[in-house]
Amino acid sequence: MPEPQASPELAHLRTQIDRIDQQLLGLFNQRAHLAEQVGDVKKREGSPLFRPDRVAQVIQKIQAANPGPLKDSHVAAIWRELMSACLALEAPQRVAILGPEGTFCEQAAIEYFGSSADTIFCGNFDEVFHAVAAGTAEYGVVGMENSNEGVVTRSLDLFLRSPSHIVGEISLPVRHHLLRAQPGMEGIEAVLAHPQALAQCQTWLSKHLPQAERRPVSSNAEGARLAAGNTAWAGIASERSAQKYGLHLLAHAIQDDAHNRTRFAVICLPQTLANPEPSGRDCTSIVVSVPNRPGAVHDLLVPLKNHAVSMTRIESRPARNGQWDYNFYIDIEGHTAQPHVAAALAELQQLCAFYKVLGTYPVAA
C-alpha cells in the first residue's frame, strides 16, 4: 500500500532533516579520519588506544555545552557510540563477558564500551578472568554486587589471585521478566535463571508459581535460551533476551525490589591500562587478611579513621587455608594517588598478613 502523500509543511521539514543528516554524516566521517590519526600516533608512542577517562571527559564536555532539547543522557549515548565506532577503526577492543547473548553483563559492556566492541561470550566468570589473563580479551566485565542480594562471591574469590585489576564500574538498573516460548503461565514446570536472579524474584515466584521448580543456570540469558526449546520451562531474563530468543514476556519486572541494581566491574591487565587518573569521584577496592587475634578487624579500620577515609563496603570470605581465616574485601572512597588515601593504605598494609589493591577507578554515575 503506497504511503499517503505528505503535506507541503511536512515535506519541507523532512527535506531539512535529510540535509542535516548528510551534514552530520560528513562531520562524523571527518571525526573518524582524525580518530584514525590519533590511533596511529598512540601506536607509535605505545599509548593505550582505549582511555575510559578520555571518553568520560569528552562526554562531560559535550553535555556541558548541550542546549537541548536532547537530554544529557541521550547525548551521552550518542557520543559513546560515536567514539566506540571511531575506536573500532583504530583497533576493536575485545571484551570478555558472561554469555550467551542477552545477559545483563552484555548490556553493561555495551554501556561502557559501546556496541562496536568485539564481545567474547564466556560460560562463567572464571572464563572471563581467564580470557583477560591469557590476552584473549583486552577487557572483561564481571558482576560484583547486587543491591538486593549482595556481592557476587565467585567474582570476589577470582580477584584474589587474578593478575587483572579494576579500571571502571557500571551500575545498571536490573529488571527481571518472566519469559516463555508460549503465552500464558499454565503448565510451567520449571523456572530457569542465574541463582542471583532466582533469589531476587523469590517472593513473586512463591506467590505466582509456587509449584514450579527453580532451576539455577549459568546466566539469565542461558535460562532464556533453554526455555525457548521447552514449553514447560520459563526463564527470568531481560527484554533483550526475549527478543533474541523469540520469547513471550509473560510478566514484567518481577524482581522483589523495584529499585534493584547490579554493579559490574571492568577488568584488564595493568599493562593494557594502568590505574585511571583521579576523577574527583573514585573508589579503591582492596582485599586483606589479618592474623586471627582479638581486635584484628577493629585495628584495620583505625588507619582509615585517622586519615579521614570513608569505607563504603566490607565483605568477608573464607581464606580456604583450613585455619578458619578470612579475607576481607574493602571499598573506600578516594584514589590511591590522593595523599590521605595513600597514607591510610600504607598504614593499613603494615597490619595485614595479606594485602592487595584490586583497583582504583571512577565511581559509576
Side-chain angles (χ1 to χ4, degrees), residues 30 76 131 134-135 224 285 295 315 347:
Q30 286 183 42
S285 298
E315 301 284 345
E347 204 172 296

Side-chain angles (χ1 to χ4, degrees), residues 13 15 50 71 74 91 142 154 189 211 213 242 244 248 269 305 336 360:
L13 291 171
T15 299
F50 176 65
K71 295 180 180 179
H74 296 161
V142 294
R154 186 58 187 159
E189 298 174 1
Q211 304 304 320
E213 175 194 353
K244 170 65 183 175
H248 294 274
L269 295 174
K305 179 181 179 182
T336 53
T360 184

Side-chain angles (χ1 to χ4, degrees), residues 269-332:
L269 295 174
Q271 56 265 39
T272 300
L273 186 68
N275 290 331
E277 294 295 318
S279 69
R281 245 185 116 245
D282 300 291
C283 174
T284 296
S285 298
I286 63 173
V287 56
V288 302
S289 66
V290 291
N292 191 357
R293 58 175 177 77
V297 177
H298 170 270
D299 292 345
L300 280 178
L301 307 181
V302 173
L304 302 181
K305 179 181 179 182
N306 290 342
H307 294 278
V309 175
S310 177
M311 180 179 67
T312 57
R313 181 172 68 95
I314 183 169
E315 301 284 345
S316 63
R317 292 286 296 150
R320 299 185 178 181
N321 59 6
Q323 303 299 315
W324 296 102
D325 292 333
Y326 286 82
N327 295 314
F328 295 92
Y329 293 80
I330 301 172
D331 283 353
I332 63 172

Side-chain angles (χ1 to χ4, degrees), residues 178 180 184-191 209 211-212 231-234 250:
L178 188 72
R180 194 184 185 189
M185 292 198 291
E186 299 80 9
I188 294 177
E189 298 174 1
V191 178
L209 291 170
Q211 304 304 320
T231 56
W233 294 351
L250 302 187

